[in-house]
Amino acid sequence: MKLSRRQLLKAAMATGGAAAGARALGPLGQALAAPEPAHFVHIFFNGGLNALFAGNADKFLTSGTFGVSNANIKQVGSGVFTDATTFGTFPQLALDHWAAIGVRHGNALHTTPQNLNSGGERAMIMDGADCFLNQLAFHMGGDSAFKAVYFGDRAPAYREQKAFNGVPLQRVSDLSDAIKALGAQAPDADAPSREHSAAALEAAQAMSARQIRTNPGALAAFGDAITSAVGALRKPLPPPVTFAEIDAAYGLGQKTAVDSFASMLAGAEIMIRAAGTNVVNITDFGLASWDFHQTSGGASSNGTFSRQKFLGTGGFRGNRIAPIKTFLERMLALQDRNVVVCVSGELVRLPSGDHGNGTVAALFGKYVKQGVSFPVSTGAAFSASTPGPKAFWAAVAAACKVPGQPFGANPHPLIV
Amino acid sequence: MKTYALLFVSLGLVACDDDPNALLGSRGPNAAGGVDGTTGPAALECTAEAKGRSYALFDGSKLEASRANENFGVNRARLKPYDVLAGEFQRVLGVTPPSLAGAASSFDAPPPRWFAETKYGGVAVHAMFDISFEACGAWTKTRPEMATAPTAETARAQCSELMRKAWSRTPAPEEVDACVDLATTKVSSEPDARRRWSYVCASVLSSSQFLTF
């Protein structure tokens, strides 16, 4: 009997359901529930995210800093205040589970290709020579073939991050390719079989082994890439995720290339649903593209320019709030998955329009409590006691329910 | 001028003088574990201390401290950019896969007149394999000998020939073995002989040797 793809998927789901229903027995005979898969998505606005958006808008109300007034901010609750027309329109589930977390890394510079070893982005993303992103992915465990991926026009902190304990951080640049590699959409009739493709790529890896060993500079990541491709091909087919569905949700206009902000969010959804990816980094395009220093009458216009860029108005192209809302609506509501989302930059902005020496991260997730931890002052400064990046990652790990404390104790009491 | 040339050669020699083959890029079967330009991993690092002048920086560190002290002929591979792939398929197979034309985003091709070092993630590797399979499907149709399924003998001959052409060097025995094993064992359940050869061909074209300069 020849089985259709739909029948095969049904059979796989039935088998999975039976396995879940059986549940393993613990040492004392209690049923042990399978751990809920967790996913962390870091949406990063390079150049600096004003704290008025991330949850500390109230700090600027008295002096009207950044143009903040009662008319343009929203009281979210539990001390979280934000810009009304942008972050204030996020879905209620996100608003109810929003922690504004202060991070004082002490570096008020931008990380750029000319300043690779310094700057706020490096401080937020890198832990010495390692990268927090794939460190977290490693500690989250699971068996995804793509544990950590990134979207954007360059690697986080402007450098190819090395694999951490066998977990690479890989780029995805085309959504259709991703869906095909993961087997989430029915293939063309004459497409190569997944089983034979896996065998052929394993052979390619064997053929490449010697050259990869002697050319680690350029080819270590290529070796990791083949391993991931083979791993994905060897996995059972995931629940269907079609490009048509994703296109309709995010309004991509049938473009599969990852060349817009919306396409990056769409890619994150594909990787979560079809690959079970643990960690996704989305960095907005351009070099320090949120670095608005403009002033008007001596006052910073950063709030105005940022708002316009979020909404795609005032000469800026592409609404960034709409796809974030779509993503939050669809991902925070996923049953049996714990999707944690962070929106941050590397720097807050000072009333002068200049850079602060830390950032406020807006963290969303089902185990995140609404509230504020270590906010900025009215001058957008951090108190000396504000914890640094490692503590931020400790909070993320706690929200993702990562076993143990891979980044140390979490000092931010906003995780359930 | 000849004096300067000799001076540079001498400096090169003292930079890593443990391996006399190093200056030759370890080409030839007698080089340190090398076969046609590919050295063994032991030769990756230069074991001789680098010689030359030291320069102190303002922070007290040395300018040369982060300079790689690697042997000759290793760690030089660079992945071919998307722009040259059509020509490379044409060179090796005599065909250009139609899907390659619309695959710039698969390989993150930079805009015209911009440069970015090519990198592959797992998704791009899979895309490369699919494109290669398409090209190989067209290629195998032009080869009468591929109307029959591979045997150990025919696989060894075809693998060696294709690898030599695709990689521009003679493959090592273990590399040919991996190709033969794929052809005769790992894809043996494929009933269509030409598709079976296509898997073998696409495997060779998805290897690092084809995808690097």
Side-chain angles (χ1 to χ4, degrees), chain A residues 170-171 173-174 177 210-211, chain B residues 33 39 105-106 108 122 208-209:
Chain A
Q170 300 184 54
R171 185 174 193 173
S173 59
D174 188 276
D177 287 344
R210 185 184 182 89
Q211 196 190 26
Chain B
T39 54
S105 63
S106 304
D108 208 17
S208 62
Q209 286 92 332

Side-chain angles (χ1 to χ4, degrees), chain A residues 146 150 152-153 160 170-174 177-182 189-219 221-222 224-226 228-229 233 256-258 271, chain B residues 33-35 38-41 44 70 73-79 105-108 119-123 125-127 129-130 133 163 167 169 172 174-175 178-179 182 186-190 195 199-200 202-204 206-213:
Chain A
F146 293 92
Y150 70 93
D153 55 2
E160 287 304 313
Q170 300 184 54
R171 185 174 193 173
V172 178
S173 59
D174 188 276
D177 287 344
I179 288 171
K180 283 182 194 165
L182 301 170
D190 57 351
S193 85
R194 296 182 70 76
E195 177 197 346
H196 290 152
S197 296
L201 278 172
E202 276 176 342
Q205 193 166 35
M207 293 176 211
S208 310
R210 185 184 182 89
Q211 196 190 26
I212 290 173
R213 277 200 309 272
T214 53
N215 293 273
L219 297 183
F222 180 79
D224 293 335
I226 299 187
S228 291
L233 287 164
T256 65
V258 179
M271 297 310 290
Chain B
V35 179
T38 313
T39 54
L44 188 59
E70 292 183 332
V74 295
N75 222 358
R76 297 191 309 190
R78 296 175 72 182
L79 287 155
S105 63
S106 304
F107 305 104
D108 208 17
K119 295 188 167 57
Y120 276 75
V123 170
V125 163
H126 182 269
F129 180 83
D130 274 3
F133 187 81
M163 292 160 109
W167 301 354
R169 72 169 177 83
E174 70 269 22
E175 293 166 343
C179 182
L182 174 69
K186 292 183 175 164
V187 292
S188 58
S189 60
E190 169 58 57
R195 272 178 73 88
Y199 285 113
V200 175
S203 176
V204 171
S206 299
S207 66
S208 62
Q209 286 92 332
F210 175 66
L211 295 174
T212 54
F213 289 118

Side-chain angles (χ1 to χ4, degrees), chain B:
Chain B
M1 189 67 194
K2 280 183 181 171
T3 311
Y4 285 119
L6 277 173
L7 178 63
F8 282 126
V9 169
S10 307
L11 286 171
L13 269 173
V14 295
C16 186
D17 50 10
D18 278 3
D19 176 9
N21 287 309
L23 260 186
L24 305 176
S26 297
R27 294 195 181 273
N30 295 325
V35 179
D36 261 4
T38 313
T39 54
L44 188 59
E45 278 194 36
C46 180
T47 51
E49 188 182 343
K51 294 173 185 172
R53 190 168 169 181
S54 180
Y55 295 89
L57 302 179
F58 290 119
D59 64 359
S61 64
K62 291 181 176 177
L63 176 66
E64 67 279 9
S66 60
R67 191 175 297 158
N69 186 24
E70 292 183 332
N71 217 328
F72 292 88
V74 295
N75 222 358
R76 297 191 309 190
R78 296 175 72 182
L79 287 155
K80 293 171 185 170
Y82 167 75
D83 281 349
V84 308
L85 291 178
E88 285 294 274
F89 277 110
Q90 192 66 38
R91 174 181 70 80
V92 177
L93 304 179
V95 296
T96 304
S99 62
L100 184 63
S105 63
S106 304
F107 305 104
D108 208 17
R113 294 176 292 284
W114 283 80
F115 172 79
E117 194 72 35
T118 301
K119 295 188 167 57
Y120 276 75
V123 170
V125 163
H126 182 269
M128 184 66 207
F129 180 83
D130 274 3
I131 290 168
S132 298
F133 187 81
E134 181 189 20
C136 291
W139 177 67
T140 55
K141 284 179 186 157
T142 67
R143 311 267 295 188
E145 66 272 32
M146 291 180 176
T148 53
T151 64
E153 257 182 47
T154 59
R156 187 162 297 279
Q158 294 295 337
C159 282
S160 300
E161 182 189 333
L162 180 63
M163 292 160 109
R164 179 74 186 85
K165 192 169 185 186
W167 301 354
S168 300
R169 72 169 177 83
T170 304
E174 70 269 22
E175 293 166 343
V176 178
D177 289 345
C179 182
V180 172
D181 185 40
L182 174 69
T184 56
T185 309
K186 292 183 175 164
V187 292
S188 58
S189 60
E190 169 58 57
D192 183 320
R194 290 193 194 277
R195 272 178 73 88
R196 196 160 146 188
W197 281 113
S198 295
Y199 285 113
V200 175
C201 164
S203 176
V204 171
L205 298 188
S206 299
S207 66
S208 62
Q209 286 92 332
F210 175 66
L211 295 174
T212 54
F213 289 118

